[in-house]
Amino acid sequence: MSENGPSERHLPVPPDPDGGAAQAVPNRSRGQSAPEAGSGHPALEAGVTTGALARRLGVSPTTLRSWDRRYGLGPAVRDDGRHRRWTPQDVAMLETMCRLTSSGVPPAEAARAAKEASGAVPPAPGPASPGPGPRGRSRAPGALPLGDARQECRGLARAAVRLDAPAVERQLVSLVELHGVVAAWEDVMVPTLHAVGRKWESSGDRYVEVEHLLSWHISTALRRATWPAGHGGADTGAGPVVLACVPGEQHTLPLEALNAGLAEAGLPTRMFGSAVPVEALTAAVRRLGPSAVVLWSQARSTASLPLARHVAATRWGVTGARRRPVVLLGGPGWAGQRAPGMLRPPGLRDALAALAGTYETGGPEVRS
């Protein structure tokens, strides 16, 4: 694996749900849901201001004004013709709008469905209005069609921009369950992280909180996909695949994606995470007798060919039938370095195929 994984730098905000630049607004506490329409809540019955509603929904006031202008999702009451006051029915309509756009429904379609749900417009004839999930999403495993992938990315980005952690989690879990780890990672998670990264680079270090939230939930979804872990090594006696970041390397998301993909394929793994010391890595290899060792390096400053050669030369077993692991070098840090005898697959799918092959053989045997 090489450049397929995101850099995991501070990554920022993708475009706003309606196509404009988003403004960061603190999201409401997830333990306190907004009062429902007609609930008798004093603030809502009297009508809330645009700023208060924006904070409640976790969007910017600019987004609410844009939705009003573009899709007619405006307040029912305007004091003196200028100041907006949002009624409980308005709030319920906009909550539906937020839920649908966070699921990947295009804003124009989501607005129509939100107005229909609130009774503002009669239902459109023909097929039912869009539900909480994107229309046309393939239910089959494998790679997502490009159109679906773009829609999935938009929905995930919108939820992350709003710091809507429950929506981010729901979408990621659904992606992995419907399409598998590889398609979810390559077609949605990585493109969304890259989009966030591009926005961050042009925003002067703003919106770092969006990157942290998105990365944490992607990591959680990938780890969840490893439960229960594969037990493929029990029949052949071949050791697990060891996955570790080289010393000084803290970027783990692509390695976590590989770990989840191996577990999904039923191959046993041992994940050691970031910045594993040389002595600890060597001890683990000797104790586990792995079929392969994956060494991840995101930057050239952390990639160490002497370390890779040291791991590749580590042996175990009885005299006359000693073995050593296959070493796979993952991450852009290894680019341009010659490593004879070591695997250097270009992406996640290739890495999974290569490791499946080494697992079947159990690693090279060394006569001694």
Side-chain angles (χ1 to χ4, degrees):
M1 296 192 308
S2 55
E3 289 78 11
N4 277 21
S7 66
E8 286 188 70
R9 299 165 55 190
H10 292 310
L11 307 168
V13 180
D16 178 83
D18 62 8
Q23 297 181 13
V25 176
N27 207 0
R28 68 170 180 261
S29 169
R30 294 299 163 191
Q32 300 175 353
S33 58
E36 297 181 358
S39 64
H41 188 276
L44 288 182
E45 294 296 346
V48 297
T49 66
T50 297
L53 181 58
R55 288 190 295 273
R56 182 181 298 278
L57 297 176
V59 300
S60 71
T62 300
T63 295
L64 294 181
R65 288 190 287 268
S66 177
W67 285 351
D68 182 9
R69 183 177 68 255
R70 296 185 183 188
Y71 312 120
L73 299 180
V77 178
R78 298 174 190 263
D79 295 342
D80 300 327
R82 298 188 308 274
H83 301 293
R84 302 160 182 245
R85 305 291 294 186
W86 302 82
T87 67
Q89 291 73 25
D90 298 330
V91 173
M93 178 174 61
L94 288 170
E95 286 179 335
T96 301
M97 178 69 172
C98 288
R99 175 174 56 83
L100 292 175
T101 57
S102 290
S103 298
V105 178
E109 297 180 18
R112 173 75 182 182
K115 288 191 286 187
E116 288 178 359
S118 69
V121 296
S129 59
R135 297 191 309 165
R137 177 194 288 178
S138 171
R139 297 282 171 174
L144 299 173
L146 181 59
D148 282 353
R150 286 178 175 173
Q151 185 160 290
E152 302 272 9
C153 291
R154 287 196 298 269
L156 184 59
R158 291 182 187 115
V161 169
R162 285 198 282 267
L163 302 181
D164 190 344
V168 170
E169 181 178 1
R170 286 194 301 270
Q171 291 180 55
L172 290 171
V173 169
S174 176
L175 282 169
V176 174
E177 289 179 348
L178 291 175
H179 306 295
V181 169
V182 176
W185 172 254
E186 292 186 342
D187 296 339
V188 181
M189 295 177 184
V190 169
T192 304
L193 283 166
H194 283 172
V196 171
R198 289 191 296 271
K199 185 67 177 178
W200 173 81
E201 291 176 353
S202 63
S203 301
D205 292 350
R206 299 172 61 194
Y207 309 124
V208 173
E209 69 282 3
V210 176
E211 181 272 332
H212 281 268
L213 181 138
L214 181 58
S215 295
W216 190 88
H217 281 284
I218 287 177
S219 177
T220 300
L222 293 172
R223 295 187 188 190
R224 182 181 286 114
T226 65
W227 305 332
H231 298 288
D235 294 334
T236 64
V241 177
V242 166
L243 303 102
C245 290
V246 298
E249 183 57 69
Q250 300 292 333
H251 302 89
T252 63
L253 271 186
L255 199 62
E256 292 176 41
L258 178 57
N259 183 53
L262 289 168
E264 187 176 65
L267 303 183
T269 67
R270 297 294 185 273
M271 164 65 94
F272 289 92
S274 63
V276 181
V278 175
E279 298 80 4
L281 180 59
T282 303
V285 169
R286 286 179 175 152
R287 290 177 61 186
L288 292 169
S291 60
V293 176
V294 179
L295 299 176
W296 181 266
S297 173
Q298 189 74 22
R300 291 193 179 188
S301 59
T302 62
S304 171
L305 279 180
L307 167 63
R309 296 190 187 103
H310 172 72
V311 172
T314 303
R315 303 177 183 182
W316 63 86
V318 298
T319 302
R322 294 173 67 79
R323 307 191 73 86
R324 58 185 176 85
V326 172
V327 172
L328 185 150
L329 305 180
W334 303 103
Q337 302 199 44
R338 297 176 57 84
M342 302 181 195
L343 301 177
R344 180 84 168 91
L348 178 58
R349 295 177 189 271
D350 300 294
L352 289 170
L355 290 170
T358 61
Y359 174 73
E360 292 173 359
T361 62
E365 184 172 338
V366 182
R367 296 293 178 181
S368 61

